[in-house]
Amino acid sequence: MVWTPDQTGAFLDSIYQHRLYALYHLVAYRGPRRGEVCGLNWPDVDLDQKKMLIQWQLVVVGWEVQRTRPKTEAGVREVVLDDLTVEEFHRHRERQRDERHVMGLGWDPSGPVFTTLEGEPLHPAAVSTEFQDLIVKAGVPPIRLHDARHVAATLMHGGGADLKVIQETLGHSSYEVTANIYTSVLEERAREAAEGAAQLVPRTPARRVAHTPRTPSQSQEDHKMAKTQVRTSALGGNRTPNLLIRRYIWIFWGCP
């Protein structure tokens, strides 16, 4: 299941005041994995240059959370951020500072980007559970948190990104992995591209006359007319001198 842009917008609008809105916004727009977004630290986010470095992830072993490097070299990557996402990072940072002040905690510029109210790293499983609760409240079709990566892929492709850019943004190990996963997801975009390409070719009106299907009554009338023409030609003309052929035509067309 992949949300449409309208469904994505409806979900994000419904949770805009949530304290972790920026997390779900980031997943929907840029597509980091659950463990990657939970393991993101402020020193890895450069809002002036509009980019972030993904080099850590939080994984669940049993119920314990461990901080590790991404599994593949492609997982360690730099992700470019759009202006709207940068704006949400700024808003989230101010909210986090206010929360830490209320809790009597000092601002930690080297800490996790997304935390609990107590300033602790998020448990990845808890993020997934909360995501499902927010979906129910938003009234949009249910998807997994991991499926939001597919949402990000469709948004990127719809915005003009090719599969190579999508591959590097999502951290896939190869171009083939991205192509195999998103070929069906992006079929609608491919169809739109095909129609767009066809519209680029100028054609004269005469060559673009659409075929009008014949109605049953028109087809019957055409058949009667053709039958009459054949009978007239065969019986009234002198192009069929063979009497046997004439007799066959009389019998076939029901002539007396």
Side-chain angles (χ1 to χ4, degrees), residues 43-231:
D44 297 327
V45 180
D46 188 340
L47 297 181
D48 293 331
Q49 297 297 320
K50 301 179 182 178
K51 61 185 180 180
M52 67 181 185
L53 175 64
I54 294 179
Q55 60 175 339
W56 296 102
Q57 63 177 353
L58 299 186
V59 298
V60 181
V61 180
W63 189 249
E64 297 297 320
V65 178
Q66 297 181 1
R67 183 171 182 256
T68 68
R69 293 284 188 178
K71 293 181 180 180
T72 65
E73 292 183 2
V76 179
R77 62 199 186 277
E78 199 173 70
V79 176
V80 176
L81 303 176
D82 59 279
D83 290 341
L84 183 57
T85 301
V86 169
E87 179 182 329
E88 293 306 328
F89 264 103
H90 280 297
R91 192 169 73 98
H92 174 75
R93 186 166 59 183
E94 292 303 315
R95 181 200 296 269
Q96 192 177 69
R97 282 175 173 167
D98 293 342
E99 287 180 349
R100 292 182 69 86
H101 177 73
V102 171
M103 296 295 295
L105 303 172
W107 168 247
D108 183 6
S110 64
V113 174
F114 304 106
T115 68
T116 64
L117 279 170
E118 294 75 24
E120 298 296 324
L122 295 172
H123 194 296
V127 174
S128 293
T129 300
E130 182 178 62
F131 181 64
Q132 295 303 318
D133 293 340
L134 294 174
I135 285 176
V136 173
K137 294 177 181 178
V140 293
I143 64 171
R144 302 171 302 162
L145 181 59
H146 188 77
D147 294 331
R149 280 168 58 79
H150 304 331
V151 172
T154 58
L155 292 177
M156 283 186 276
H157 195 269
D162 59 27
L163 287 184
K164 183 63 177 176
V165 172
I166 297 175
Q167 173 212 331
E168 294 174 350
T169 302
L170 298 183
H172 288 153
S173 57
S174 69
Y175 176 90
E176 288 72 18
V177 171
T178 308
N180 290 337
I181 292 175
Y182 295 111
T183 295
S184 60
V185 173
L186 300 175
E187 181 179 350
E188 182 179 351
R189 296 298 181 187
R191 186 175 295 109
E192 291 175 359
E195 292 296 340
Q199 295 300 320
L200 293 176
V201 181
R203 303 301 303 274
T204 60
R207 294 185 177 274
R208 301 190 61 181
V209 175
H211 171 68
T212 304
R214 305 290 289 176
T215 64
S217 60
Q218 289 174 325
S219 298
Q220 293 176 2
E221 191 66 29
D222 291 346
H223 178 71
K224 291 179 180 179
M225 184 179 297
K227 182 176 179 180
T228 301
Q229 290 175 346
V230 171
R231 291 177 60 181

